[in-house]
Amino acid sequence: RDLRMSRGLGDVYKRQVIPVVLFHVFPELITGGYVGVDIFFVISGYLISLIILKNFNSNTFSFVDFYVRRIRRIFPTLTTVLVFSLVFGWFALLPDEYAQLGKHVAGSSVFISNFVLLSESGYFDSASISKPLLHLWSLAVEEQFYIVWPLLLVFFRKFINPIFIALALLMLTFAANIHFIDQNQSLTFYSPVMRFWEILCGSCLAWCQVNKQYITAKFHGKVPGIVSLFITSDGRSPYRHLISIAGLCLIAIAMYRYTEALAFPGWYAVAPVIGAVMLILAGPHAFVNKFILSRKLVIWFGLISYPLYLWHWPLLSFAHIMDSGYPSYKVRSVIVVLSIFMAWFSYRYIEKNLRSGGYRVGKTLSLIAVMVLIGATGMYINLHNGIENRFSANSSKFNDEKYVQNAIATASERCVSKFSDWSKFTDKGNSCLMQKPMGQNEIALVGDSHARHLFIGMSELYSARGVSVFPASCAAPFINVSSSTQDKHAGNMRKDAYKLINEAYDYIAHNPRITDVILAHNPSCSASDAIDIENPSNKNNQDVLDSGLRRTLDVLVKAHKRITIVFDNPGLMFDPKVCVVRPLRISSTGGGRCTYDRSTYDQSFAHQSYKNVVKKVLKDYPGVMVVDLSDKFCNASQCTLARDGHLLYQDMSHLTPYGSRYVAPFILK
């Protein structure tokens, strides 16, 4: 009876997928709807642990039976969504997008998509909404828990009570979550080690439910009634209505007050997790659970909650990709309706048929075989660059991309082998580059990724002289200046990036072969976030950049280098792929927005303030040359994304290889 009641209670709470869907599709309506995932973690830990612990107590637990049930529960709709994504992606995605999708399909097929996404996080990471399978990270975390949790219980059950295992892991993983949230938010968000505490909250509740008679007998009369509710809840406590309302309030506060700007999970995850715990404790007879969450329509959404979660994000993501921008309100509304239909169809005709009925072994083996085939297909697509020959007319472009990748890989290997620190203090997308072996290059570029994206054009144009690039993530190209350290996603990595810039200048100053030094930088990284390592108390950002630039020029002038400072190319306010003629588009006007108003650039605080600092300093250094790339992208009224049918931008700030080649002839005078 308890198990049936708990399963019914679980069906009530599965409705928490609705806030997640609303947050993804209409983020302006429910800014913290993402906490629905955290609530689901608690519910999942409660329901699945309840089954495991009951089976342990009756000595009927079987690993085979447990995982067969998980496969028949998870695989039917998941394989359907993965196949749909691969088929639709074939027609809708460009090669680089399809290659990334293939990698995510492969990761999802073995439930490691959270680690795949974590490996991609960083300055060059594409927008979340451009990843159709991004949402499967939570499913991966959940399945990773259910691989570890039964094994721990089996191994330790003869030596220690499961509740102590759960509590110990809960405290350790919660502490890890708190410790790392300010150091690496991406790691904290995706890592199972930082998320298991949420699932374990539900597992602890399950243990109390399974052992409530033992707990009641042991602590009878020793604790107040309201405290006993938290360890022996039977759903009929006089406090149940108050507890359920309090739990709902905590969840509501999180959903409507939280935003994506918060350092989540961290301490912020405590409110929705405790709210979910309180709703479960209150039981199915509590006011909120009985009169709000048990309405027929809400119950129906609970039945399709899992397929609804799987379907809604790929549909939204594909719509965004096809139009290179966030879909209109009308399109998003259609996506909601389509997601609900696909969820109902999947539940009614796929999930129910494969979860129940006969041929249990055959269905399970077939699901495993299909998942293996899907994963292998995804890997093949990724390894073959998104099956680039789907668009044979662009074969020359694809061949050039291979050449560029090989050139950068060779230059990176050559440089990092000599400067090992580059793998410690910046991300993999900002490794240093050497066209020729160390000591043989005459031109050096120093800065951030906006120095690095000039490498292809400069190295081809000056191949006889040789080009080196010394970039660090969002680093200002100045000695002893640290920049962009407040970025919640990468600040911890960038705090020591200035050490790489210092090391580069030390090498350049003592290398007589290097005659030309080029300083290139995305000013958005330092416009309001720069620290003078030699004078940390200086809070005037303009003064920090002024002092850093003077220190740098003094070193280079003393070393008799010719110096060029590059004013950066204009940044975009939209995805440059709006200029690309895509295989599929939703709107009829897509594929032609290749210019924008120059005033957007002229009004940029970051670009203009950086120019002002440099121009002020260069009054004292008349020999330093300046190149303004905006003159090559803009006329008096318009700026362009493309030249001669070629896209100049690969994202909203970085140049394509063609863009790099386009600007290279203008940099050295």
Side-chain angles (χ1 to χ4, degrees):
R1 176 182 172 278
D2 289 338
L3 186 57
R4 287 197 302 271
M5 184 181 74
S6 298
R7 284 174 176 166
L9 188 61
D11 288 335
V12 170
Y13 297 133
K14 289 176 185 175
R15 283 45 143 200
Q16 297 300 339
V17 72
I18 298 175
V20 178
V21 174
L22 291 176
F23 165 69
H24 286 158
V25 182
F26 303 110
E28 65 276 10
L29 298 180
I30 181 167
T31 59
Y34 55 84
V35 302
V37 172
D38 305 87
I39 296 167
F40 178 75
F41 280 155
V42 178
I43 298 165
S44 176
Y46 174 72
L47 293 175
I48 305 302
S49 295
L50 196 67
I51 296 171
I52 293 173
L53 292 169
K54 280 185 173 290
N55 288 337
F56 270 126
N57 285 358
S58 61
N59 292 316
T60 59
F61 179 79
S62 165
F63 279 109
V64 173
D65 183 67
F66 176 74
Y67 291 120
V68 164
R69 288 178 179 273
R70 294 301 297 165
I71 289 170
R72 297 179 73 186
R73 172 72 179 95
I74 299 297
F75 279 30
T77 305
L78 178 59
T79 54
T80 304
V81 171
L82 294 180
V83 170
F84 165 82
S85 298
L86 287 174
V87 173
F88 191 83
W90 175 275
F91 299 101
L93 300 183
L94 299 174
D96 61 322
E97 298 165 341
Y98 200 45
Q100 184 182 67
L101 177 66
K103 179 171 64 171
H104 292 174
V105 166
S108 299
S109 69
V110 290
F111 300 100
I112 59 169
S113 59
N114 56 324
F115 292 117
V116 174
L117 293 166
L118 181 59
S119 70
E120 295 174 348
S121 63
Y123 189 57
F124 291 91
D125 191 16
S126 57
S128 297
I129 199 171
S130 298
K131 299 179 179 182
L133 301 178
L134 175 94
H135 64 319
L136 296 184
W137 73 268
S138 59
L139 185 61
V141 169
E142 184 189 22
E143 296 313 306
Q144 288 158 16
F145 177 81
Y146 292 124
I147 291 173
V148 174
W149 182 229
L151 292 173
L152 289 175
L153 293 179
V154 169
F155 185 80
F156 287 108
R157 64 182 300 214
K158 293 183 179 179
F159 311 103
I160 188 171
N161 194 306
I163 189 61
F164 295 117
I165 302 174
L167 288 172
L169 288 175
L170 191 158
M171 290 186 289
L172 286 172
T173 56
F174 178 74
N177 158 58
I178 298 302
H179 176 73
F180 286 101
I181 189 62
D182 292 327
Q183 300 186 36
N184 191 329
Q185 186 175 350
S186 295
L187 174 67
T188 311
F189 190 89
Y190 289 120
S191 172
V193 176
M194 321 298 179
R195 290 289 194 162
F196 277 1
W197 68 274
E198 300 178 6
I199 306 176
L200 285 162
C201 284
S203 299
C204 290
L205 285 176
W207 183 88
C208 293
Q209 178 72 21
V210 171
N211 296 277
K212 65 180 182 180
Q213 292 181 345
Y214 163 78
I215 297 173
T216 301
K218 187 174 182 63
F219 294 99
H220 180 67
K222 297 181 180 180
V223 293
I226 194 168
V227 176
S228 67
L229 168 68
F230 284 84
I231 57 176
T232 63
S233 174
D234 60 2
R236 296 185 182 276
S237 166
Y239 304 104
R240 64 184 183 273
H241 301 307
L242 178 63
I243 295 297
S244 70
I245 293 172
L248 181 64
C249 288
L250 282 174
I251 291 172
I253 289 171
M255 287 185 176
Y256 290 99
R257 299 296 296 176
Y258 285 9
T259 67
E260 290 185 276
L262 297 179
F264 195 88
W267 284 104
Y268 290 106
V270 173
V273 168
I274 292 180
V277 168
M278 296 176 78
L279 282 174
I280 296 174
L281 282 171
H285 304 293
F287 174 80
V288 172
N289 300 329
K290 184 175 182 179
F291 296 104
I292 298 179
L293 299 179
S294 294
R295 297 296 179 184
K296 288 184 178 180
L297 181 61
V298 184
I299 291 173
W300 183 78
F301 272 106
L303 294 175
I304 66 168
S305 61
Y306 172 62
L308 179 58
Y309 181 74
L310 292 188
W311 277 111
H312 82 283
W313 182 259
L315 296 177
L316 179 65
S317 179
F318 279 125
H320 176 275
I321 292 170
M322 286 190 293
D323 267 13
S324 302
Y326 205 68
S328 67
Y329 193 90
K330 180 179 179 181
V331 171
R332 285 180 280 155
S333 299
V334 172
I335 288 172
V336 171
V337 175
L338 183 58
S339 299
I340 294 172
F341 171 78
M342 295 300 294
W344 168 80
F345 183 89
S346 300
Y347 172 76
R348 175 65 180 83
Y349 294 103
I350 299 174
E351 184 177 322
K352 286 186 69 175
N353 289 335
L354 291 174
R355 286 184 66 184
S356 58
Y359 307 103
R360 182 170 179 261
V361 175
K363 289 179 179 178
T364 302
L365 293 177
S366 297
L367 287 170
I368 294 173
V370 170
M371 186 64 83
V372 170
L373 180 61
I374 291 171
T377 302
M379 184 62 69
Y380 178 87
I381 291 170
N382 178 254
L383 294 176
H384 288 78
N385 301 311
I387 317 297
E388 53 199 26
N389 58 9
R390 289 179 297 140
F391 309 103
S392 56
N394 295 325
S395 59
S396 60
K397 176 176 179 290
F398 301 134
N399 290 333
D400 183 63
E401 288 177 352
K402 289 182 179 179
Y403 156 76
V404 169
Q405 291 171 3
N406 291 335
I408 290 177
T410 300
S412 176
E413 182 179 353
R414 183 174 287 136
C415 185
V416 174
S417 65
K418 303 297 182 182
F419 293 89
S420 59
D421 285 349
W422 246 266
S423 61
K424 299 177 182 178
F425 299 139
T426 191
D427 54 59
K428 61 183 179 181
N430 276 300
S431 62
C432 64
L433 306 172
M434 284 188 173
Q435 183 179 12
K436 293 184 176 183
M438 188 172 182
Q440 298 182 24
N441 300 286
E442 297 180 8
I443 300 170
L445 292 95
V446 184
D448 54 16
S449 57
H450 285 221
R452 196 176 190 266
H453 71 193
L454 299 175
F455 174 75
I456 288 298
M458 294 293 290
S459 63
E460 291 177 357
L461 186 62
Y462 299 104
S463 58
R465 299 181 63 188
V467 175
S468 295
V469 186
F470 299 95
S473 178
C474 244
F478 307 144
I479 293 172
N480 279 334
V481 172
S482 179
S483 58
S484 197
T485 60
Q486 301 304 311
D487 188 313
K488 64 180 182 179
H489 296 293
N492 185 60
M493 173 190 65
R494 292 171 179 168
K495 67 179 183 180
D496 291 323
Y498 75 93
K499 296 178 181 179
L500 300 179
I501 301 299
N502 291 354
E503 185 177 5
Y505 281 124
D506 183 65
Y507 166 73
I508 291 168
H510 292 89
N511 186 346
R513 186 67 179 262
I514 296 177
T515 56
D516 285 279
V517 182
I518 301 165
L519 283 62
H521 176 52
N522 176 6
S524 298
C525 290
S526 61
S528 57
D529 185 7
I531 300 171
D532 190 338
I533 301 301
E534 296 186 12
N535 184 18
S537 62
N538 185 359
K539 303 303 180 182
N540 187 310
N541 208 80
Q542 303 294 296
D543 288 348
V544 171
L545 298 180
D546 183 296
S547 299
L549 177 55
R550 290 180 186 276
R551 280 194 295 266
T552 305
L553 296 180
D554 286 341
V555 169
L556 295 177
V557 169
K558 184 178 180 180
H560 306 292
K561 308 297 182 183
R562 286 188 298 182
I563 308 164
T564 300
I565 297 178
V566 175
F567 288 152
D568 200 36
N569 53 275
L572 305 179
M573 301 301 292
F574 51 86
D575 188 337
K577 287 181 179 177
V578 297
C579 182
V580 177
V581 178
R582 301 187 62 90
L584 292 177
R585 280 197 183 273
I586 295 176
S587 66
S588 59
T589 58
R593 186 183 176 188
C594 297
T595 61
Y596 62 97
D597 196 327
R598 183 187 172 117
S599 63
T600 303
Y601 169 74
D602 290 335
Q603 294 170 8
S604 168
F605 168 77
H607 285 270
Q608 302 312 318
S609 61
Y610 184 76
K611 286 184 179 181
N612 291 338
V613 169
V614 172
K615 289 177 180 179
K616 175 186 174 185
V617 171
L618 293 194
K619 292 178 181 179
D620 298 326
Y621 299 86
V624 177
M625 294 174 286
V626 173
V627 174
D628 192 341
L629 294 185
S630 67
D631 295 338
K632 314 307 173 187
F633 288 81
C634 308
N635 58 29
S637 60
Q638 295 286 313
C639 297
T640 185
L641 283 67
R643 293 281 182 181
D644 302 322
H646 296 277
L647 201 61
L648 299 175
Y649 288 80
Q650 68 177 9
D651 55 32
M652 290 192 291
S653 67
H654 297 96
L655 301 180
T656 61
Y658 184 87
S660 180
R661 293 170 179 134
Y662 169 69
V663 300
F666 306 109
I667 292 178
L668 287 182
K669 298 178 180 179

